[in-house]
Amino acid sequence: MTDPKDLNERHLRFLYFVLLFAGFTANWATGYDSAIMNSVQELGFWNKYFGYPVKDQLGPITAMYSLGALCSKRSSRYWCSYSSTLLEAPEKREEAREAREVKAEEEKKKESKKFKEAEERVAKVEEELEKLKKTVEEMVKKIEKMEKEKERERPEGVSTGRLGWVWEVLVAQRGHSV
């Protein structure tokens, strides 16, 4: 959609006018081509050459030039760009090649920088992971130490198996150890 502010620019109004004229010209040309195709179908040698086509065959034959235009529309911009580089002076082609190489080198540097940043982030995460492992190991050691202290507090003959929890409940209810 056209921005209303564009209509305030003189050069853009001129561009829209030229494009409008170009669009009408393209439609007029297509109409002329269609008229020629329909006229040629009345000629006897044309019918003989195409084997006296019937209605179902005349449609695709008539639309062939439009289908060719539609198919070429997508690739034509690449061909135009390529052909314009061939028509440029050799020094301009060299400048363009150097500019592409410089741009590719800059892209490589950006990628290299991103890769280094990613490696640094990975290294930081690995350091944090090591710190967390050490913290977990310390906590496990503290828990094991606390369990050993609880084992020492229990009197002999009290099992730490299935009924060990019963002893802990009784001790907790009385508020002291036996």
Side-chain angles (χ1 to χ4, degrees):
M1 178 104 184
T2 304
D3 188 5
K5 295 176 188 174
D6 290 348
L7 298 176
N8 296 333
E9 301 290 332
R10 185 171 182 260
H11 64 282
L12 291 177
R13 283 195 309 262
F14 178 73
L15 175 67
Y16 293 148
F17 174 73
V18 169
L19 290 176
L20 183 69
F21 182 71
F24 283 132
T25 304
N27 283 334
W28 293 331
T30 304
Y32 177 76
D33 291 340
S34 297
I36 293 293
M37 286 298 292
N38 287 330
S39 300
V40 169
Q41 290 175 10
E42 295 298 320
L43 299 174
F45 68 86
W46 186 89
N47 282 316
K48 185 178 179 183
Y49 179 80
F50 283 101
Y52 300 98
V54 292
K55 291 184 210 177
D56 295 341
Q57 296 168 334
L58 287 175
I61 291 173
T62 306
M64 231 13 100
Y65 69 92
S66 299
L67 292 174
L70 288 173
C71 293
S72 67
K73 189 174 190 175
R74 197 148 187 89
S75 62
S76 63
R77 63 180 169 187
Y78 300 112
W79 285 107
C80 289
S81 176
Y82 177 72
S83 62
S84 68
T85 58
L86 293 177
L87 296 175
E88 290 177 348
E91 53 273 354
K92 287 200 175 196
R93 276 187 273 170
E94 184 65 28
E95 288 175 13
R97 186 186 60 76
E98 289 173 1
R100 286 192 303 269
E101 288 175 357
V102 167
K103 189 174 181 179
E105 191 65 34
E106 289 174 357
E107 289 294 322
K108 280 184 179 179
K109 287 179 181 178
K110 284 181 185 178
E111 290 297 321
S112 175
K113 185 178 179 182
K114 287 180 183 178
F115 184 73
K116 287 179 182 177
E117 290 174 355
E119 284 181 333
E120 290 172 1
R121 286 194 302 263
V122 166
K124 286 180 183 178
V125 168
E126 288 176 345
E127 287 175 13
E128 291 294 321
L129 184 61
E130 288 298 320
K131 288 179 184 177
L132 286 172
K133 283 182 181 178
K134 288 179 182 177
T135 305
V136 168
E137 288 173 359
E138 290 173 3
M139 293 177 77
V140 166
K141 287 178 183 177
K142 286 181 183 178
I143 291 171
E144 288 173 351
K145 185 179 177 183
M146 289 172 56
E147 287 177 352
K148 286 180 182 177
E149 288 176 4
K150 280 187 178 180
E151 292 269 333
R152 283 189 223 136
E153 291 178 1
R154 290 193 180 150
E156 285 185 35
V158 175
S159 150
T160 58
R162 291 183 180 176
L163 298 178
W165 65 271
V166 174
W167 178 256
E168 290 177 6
V169 171
L170 290 173
V171 169
Q173 285 178 351
R174 292 189 179 170
H176 58 75
S177 62
V178 178

